[in-house]
Amino acid sequence: MDSRQVITPELREWLLAQVAAGHSADRVLASMQASGWDAGVAVEAIRALVPGAADDPTLDAATMPGLSEGAGHRIQAHDREVDLVVDIQHPRIAVFRDLLSDAECDALIELARPRLSRSETVVNRTGQSEVNAARTSQGMFFSRGEGELVSAIEARIAALLNWPVERGEGLQVLRYGVGAEYRPHFDYFDPAQPGTQAILKRGGQRVGTLLMYLNTPTSGGATTFPDAGIEVRALRGSAVFFAYGQPSPLTRTLHGGAPVLAGEKWVATKWLRASRFD
Ligand code: PD2
Ligand code: ZN
């Protein structure tokens, strides 16, 4: 099943019958998922039709990537043990150390370097990409599953964040020189913009971001969360994860890349989608 499913009259009737029978929102979700409904579509229908479900946080786990419940500070993520060093619930932000080895960081940089071009951002108004003064990095995208290294990292991320590889975009690598920055923004697509509907047809909304640091800049280049007063220093092999169950500023996931003051900064970004991104 995929994101093209819609709330049919039959589904509406069935959902209302579940409510009348006294079933809770998370129980209704479990039955829908068991019969093959896409989690994003199911949660959307339940939030729309089940009284009290609109703000029910127990529905988030099905629609948001995240750590396994009870995860300790050392997490076995597919082929590598990763350190969880910061774990914040509101906003949902986690920082990992040692997600990538030094050799993996160096190899990603060398694979990406010859393919870099000036970064573009998606223009929500039109659904197209264009160069933007707020984003002065250079970048490139790997296809999902492109080569052994990228595939291994994708499998590691999927295990760490409990989110299928198929619901991830291809890895993006960015390079920032001195003075380059990425001004604060949200990574989700603004539902109020006319271009967003077209973007969402492939994979649905973005629901989480994993930003991996491939080197340690000499100075500057932290990732900032202005609404949360949090700043994450770029450190080779580390990563910051943040999730946003709704495309809303209430998630407080506004974030930016501070200007690099000395040296350069390399990052790899994995954006996670609500549904299969094919
Ligand atoms: O490179 C960064 O620190 C950064 C900051 C904000 C990257 C992104 N956003 C991004 O790739 O979305
Ligand atoms: Zn971002």
Side-chain angles (χ1 to χ4, degrees), residues 162-227:
N162 295 294
W163 208 248
V165 168
E166 296 72 32
R167 295 194 200 169
E169 297 182 30
L171 263 190
Q172 178 193 234
V173 173
L174 295 177
R175 176 193 174 273
Y176 301 75
V178 171
E181 64 178 325
Y182 195 172
R183 292 191 201 138
H185 60 273
F186 293 99
D187 280 355
Y188 58 74
F189 303 107
D190 181 350
Q193 294 295 330
T196 292
Q197 278 318 309
I199 297 169
L200 299 188
K201 285 202 180 110
R202 183 179 179 209
Q205 261 296 356
R206 285 182 176 158
V207 290
T209 303
L210 181 74
L211 195 55
M212 296 167 277
Y213 303 105
L214 303 182
N215 79 324
T216 307
T218 310
S219 174
T223 302
T224 60
F225 293 83
D227 289 347

Side-chain angles (χ1 to χ4, degrees), residues 1 12 31 84 87 105 117 123 143 171 180 184-185 221 230 244 272:
M1 298 275 181
R12 178 184 295 266
S31 336
L84 171 64
D87 188 12
C105 290
S117 59
V123 181
S143 311
L171 263 190
H185 60 273
I230 293 168
Y244 25 98
L272 305 172

